Amino acid sequence: ALELQGNGGSKAGEKSASSESSSSSSSSTSRATVKVRTVAFDNDDDTDLYYRDTLEVSDGSGPVDALANALMRALVPTYPQLKDVELVDYKVRILDPTAATGAATRVMIEFRLGKTTSWTTVSVDRNVISASLNALVDGLEYALVEHTSCCMLCDDAYDV
């Protein structure tokens, strides 16, 4: 599975990332940093699993675009099948407007692969960046599981 860690001292297996924004007179830019753990495929020994940690930083037109760019930079070298996955739509809804800044947010992200294949992931969290990251990771994991011929995320990849 994909493991993401940010600068917040997360425990292994938790999904998190850091994101920062800056604005200039002409445009605003966000920067995201992700640490991704993937299975290393380049080992000759098939008995043990090895993992590779990758730290990537990327800019984007907003925090979600920066997160998506950083994730793709970290994952495409190991999973080149992801290079054709596109983020098509991003929607945020506040689920309890009376809760003000403590309200849960629902993030829906639509992905596309080619011209005919698309899917949507949903995540809910009180932190919109966390919900966005979870929906992004779910969408990329779905692409690997459903649309690739060999996937280390699937249970059948670990049959001995």
Side-chain angles (χ1 to χ4, degrees):
L2 303 177
E3 288 186 23
L4 298 171
Q5 297 177 342
N7 295 338
S10 304
K11 297 181 224 167
E14 287 185 354
K15 298 174 188 172
S16 64
S18 66
S19 179
E20 57 188 59
S21 297
S22 66
S23 62
S24 65
S25 59
S26 62
S27 67
S28 64
T29 308
S30 295
R31 177 170 293 152
T33 303
V34 297
K35 183 177 180 183
V36 178
R37 173 169 285 180
T38 57
V39 174
F41 292 109
D42 55 350
N43 295 314
D44 294 333
D45 184 10
D46 291 337
T47 59
D48 294 326
L49 289 176
Y50 296 94
Y51 299 95
R52 176 181 301 120
D53 290 335
T54 305
L55 181 67
E56 285 292 342
V57 177
S58 188
D59 293 333
S61 59
V64 176
D65 185 43
L67 279 171
N69 292 339
L71 281 171
M72 293 303 271
R73 286 181 63 161
L75 293 172
V76 166
T78 305
Y79 303 105
Q81 307 89 332
L82 292 177
K83 72 180 181 324
D84 296 326
V85 174
E86 296 178 82
L87 192 154
V88 178
D89 195 13
Y90 172 80
K91 297 177 185 174
V92 177
R93 298 290 180 261
I94 304 301
L95 298 180
D96 183 12
T98 60
T101 57
T105 57
R106 179 182 65 205
V107 171
M108 295 176 62
I109 300 179
E110 183 181 350
F111 296 86
R112 181 173 54 214
L113 180 63
K115 295 184 184 213
T116 59
T117 305
S118 65
W119 62 95
T120 302
T121 57
V122 178
S123 181
V124 176
D125 198 298
R126 297 204 183 285
N127 181 324
V128 66
I129 300 299
S130 179
S132 300
L133 178 65
N134 289 333
L136 280 168
V137 170
D138 288 349
L140 296 175
E141 285 180 345
Y142 180 85
L144 289 173
V145 170
E146 294 297 321
H147 303 295
T148 62
S149 58
C150 176
C151 173
M152 293 300 292
L153 298 174
C154 303
D155 290 336
D156 60 349
Y158 297 103
D159 289 343
V160 180

